[in-house]
Each structure stands twice: as C-alpha cells, then as structure tokens.
C-alpha cells in the first residue's frame, strides 16, 4: 500500500465532495464544500482514510485508485 499525505487525502476528499455537490446538493441537509473542507482539516489521518470508504475493502475501490481519481 502506498502512503499518502494528509494533504493528498484532504484534497481528494474535497474534490470528490465538490463534484458530488455539483448536481445533488441540498442546502438543508448537506454541508457546503467549504464547510466540508473545514471538517476534513479537523480529522486525523486515520479518519480521513476511513472517510474515503477504502479502508476495509480488499477487492473493491482501493485508496490508490481513490487518490488517482480525485487527487
């Protein structure tokens, strides 16, 4: 497994969230991309990895694929 920096994880998570918000944003339910970014900055490295939904998945989307897609 390749190690990624905290900054790479934050950037990738933010990019994915911004993309998803583009077409499906509910201001009554969802954080704005800027609010989400602030939440990400407060997370630990392990929490960021968990947020990618790749931590416990051996045969699906890997962290490397996630970073390559959204980084």
């Amino acid at each position: 497994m390749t190690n990624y920096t905290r900054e790479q994880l934050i950037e990738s998570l933010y990019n994915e969230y911004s993309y998803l918000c583009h077409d499906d944003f509910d201001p009554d339910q969802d954080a704005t991309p800027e609010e989400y970014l602030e939440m990400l900055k407060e997370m630990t490295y392990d929490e960021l990895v968990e947020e990618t939904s790749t931590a416990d998945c051996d045969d699906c989307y890997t962290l490397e694929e996630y970073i390559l897609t959204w980084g």
Side-chain angles (χ1 to χ4, degrees):
M1 177 174 138
T2 305
N3 290 323
Y4 296 99
T5 65
R6 214 172 156 279
E7 290 74 22
Q8 286 174 297
L9 291 169
I10 290 171
E11 177 185 16
S12 297
L13 286 160
Y14 175 78
N15 288 342
E16 178 191 32
Y17 190 80
S18 294
Y19 174 81
L20 294 174
C21 282
H22 185 266
D23 292 331
D24 192 24
F25 179 73
D26 180 355
D28 294 328
Q29 299 262 326
D30 302 323
T32 66
E34 294 75 20
E35 291 168 333
Y36 185 66
L37 178 59
E38 291 306 311
M39 290 187 318
L40 293 173
K41 289 178 180 178
E42 298 297 320
M43 292 181 176
T44 66
Y45 185 89
D46 289 340
E47 289 171 330
L48 291 167
V49 171
E50 185 69 29
E51 186 77 3
T52 68
S53 300
T54 63
D56 297 321
C57 187
D58 293 332
D59 60 340
C60 54
Y61 207 46
T62 67
L63 183 57
E64 181 178 14
E65 291 169 325
Y66 186 88
I67 296 291
L68 288 172
T69 301
W70 299 108

